[in-house]
Amino acid sequence: MKSWKLTSSPVVTGQCLCGAVRFEMEYPAFWAWHDHSRASRLAHGAVYATYVGTWRKRFRITAGERQINRFEEKETGAVRSFCRRCGTRLIYERTRSRHMINIPRALFQSRTGRQPIYHIAIEEMQDWAHAGEPLVPLKGYPGVFCRRSKKKRRRQEARLSASIRSRCS
Ligand SMILES: [Zn+2]
């Protein structure tokens, strides 16, 4: 009767910051998405949250169930669970899709089978979110990078086009 193990889905695991709460999800997830809504921004204390969504029955808490607290948002009825020892957000349950649960992508130690190609509440995206602009090392601060200033960028572009012009003439 060992054959069931061969046919069961592979799982990916995750945990909270302190390690008290651990969980597993059957691979692959259903989808993954970036959430730019105000509620998720505040709940995570981050510019946006990235979630992996899966069917409720494909997700299990494997340790620390008693460490989990739940917070219900009055306006929407959505429930956010978190580790009461370290505060890590664990599960986001939305009222519009009761069979699905959403777990922060960052809590998984390996790939979840879905890339976060979807965005929710994109109109609430903050202008201070990093959108992949080129970065340069900050002089005198190892490990710190910053966006090139517009002035410098313009100067560099002008220099570049001047050198191209001189080469072509
Ligand atoms: Zn924890």
Side-chain angles (χ1 to χ4, degrees), residues 16-21 67 83-88 90:
C16 65
L17 175 61
C18 77
V21 181
Q67 297 292 339
C83 171
R84 60 180 179 199
R85 263 177 71 187
C86 68
T88 299
L90 296 165

Side-chain angles (χ1 to χ4, degrees), residues 132-146:
E133 308 91 340
L135 302 173
V136 292
L138 184 61
K139 217 173 168 184
Y141 293 87
V144 180
F145 285 73
C146 70

